[in-house]
Amino acid sequence: TQAHGTAFGVRFFTPKGEVEFSGALAVALGLVLPQAGLAPEGVERLYLHTLGEVLGVELEYEAGRPRKAWVRGPSPRFRDLPPFALLKEVLEALGSNERYLHRGLPYGIAYTGLWSLFIPLISPQMVDALEPEMEALSGLCQRLEVATVHAYAPTGPRSFYARDFAPLLRIPEDPVTGSANAALGALLARAGVVPRREGEVWLRIQQGHRLDSPGLVEVRVAYTPMGVPYAVHLGGEAVLVGQGAVEV
């Protein structure tokens, strides 16, 4: 991270290599910078200069300390639906089948920093029951040109439960995936299957429970009068557990 007042140059890395964006890390960074004295005290807005875009971070305070960060993710993009036969192969690699596919929610490929394939299942229990065969899933991710496979299920009108698998990034399962959940919000808003209010969709996505590392991501999706998503914000909290410096 390189600092210039309230602007910071940021790069994100996975075990496989560099990626354009990490939502969870961006949220944590936004909260940690003021606490570590690297951003002005009481600052309410920061700017992250990533590989692709300049992303704004809005900070909410409680008792004088930053409590929640809202990060504007990269602009949402969408690709054509994969063939249903290929989707069935992905379900099989996940340890499931088409009987458990939720027919009222969208599947598809979307992007807010990483391309992900989204697969809706009928219940959180079915999401938790997944036992992916990572070699097969990795090959399918290559064929689909996606970084992650994001399985999700509804828990309420605006709430969902998800698991994210990223074998191509050498992350068998990610406990909390901000970029994929932001793209999920954009996909749901585009499909019109979640209630809208005054030009925005608000969502809550739980993740990480299967790894005993539960997390919650809040997502706001702004859309045009024609219903096209154009901006996605993800919000969350983080705790500073240690700090130091790395020389390279």
Side-chain angles (χ1 to χ4, degrees), residues 89-121:
E89 289 186 53
V90 175
L91 283 165
E92 291 174 5
L94 290 172
S96 186
N97 61 64
E98 63 181 297
R99 289 181 300 168
Y100 301 111
L101 194 65
H102 196 301
R103 305 291 175 163
L105 293 172
Y107 79 90
I109 297 174
Y111 166 98
T112 53
L114 291 173
W115 286 105
S116 297
L117 171 66
F118 296 91
I119 298 182
L121 299 179

Side-chain angles (χ1 to χ4, degrees), residues 66-231:
R67 182 185 65 85
K68 180 183 286 187
W70 286 96
V71 178
R72 177 166 177 163
S75 301
R77 298 185 231 159
F78 307 93
R79 293 214 313 247
D80 292 340
L81 289 176
F84 192 76
L86 193 52
L87 179 68
K88 289 170 63 175
E89 289 186 53
V90 175
L91 283 165
E92 291 174 5
L94 290 172
S96 186
N97 61 64
E98 63 181 297
R99 289 181 300 168
Y100 301 111
L101 194 65
H102 196 301
R103 305 291 175 163
L105 293 172
Y107 79 90
I109 297 174
Y111 166 98
T112 53
L114 291 173
W115 286 105
S116 297
L117 171 66
F118 296 91
I119 298 182
L121 299 179
I122 59 176
S123 71
Q125 290 76 19
M126 292 297 100
V127 176
D128 265 347
L130 298 177
E131 295 286 352
E133 206 291 295
M134 286 299 169
E135 186 174 347
L137 192 62
S138 179
L140 288 163
C141 287
Q142 287 182 314
R143 289 167 61 188
L144 288 163
E145 297 181 343
V146 297
T148 83
V149 173
H150 204 71
Y152 73 99
T155 58
R158 295 186 183 89
S159 59
F160 298 85
Y161 175 70
R163 293 174 67 191
D164 191 89
F165 308 100
L168 291 185
L169 301 180
R170 297 182 186 167
I171 303 173
E173 182 171 356
D174 193 19
V176 178
T177 316
S179 56
N181 284 316
L184 173 60
L187 184 71
L188 291 166
R190 183 177 186 240
V193 295
V194 289
R196 298 174 178 176
R197 59 170 91 164
E198 298 180 357
E200 284 192 329
V201 168
W202 289 64
L203 304 170
R204 293 163 60 90
I205 300 111
Q206 298 181 72
Q207 191 182 335
H209 294 66
R210 182 66 189 277
L211 298 176
D212 294 323
S213 183
L216 174 66
V217 178
E218 297 180 71
V219 179
R220 302 193 323 248
V221 184
Y223 58 90
T224 68
M226 300 299 293
V228 178
Y230 70 89

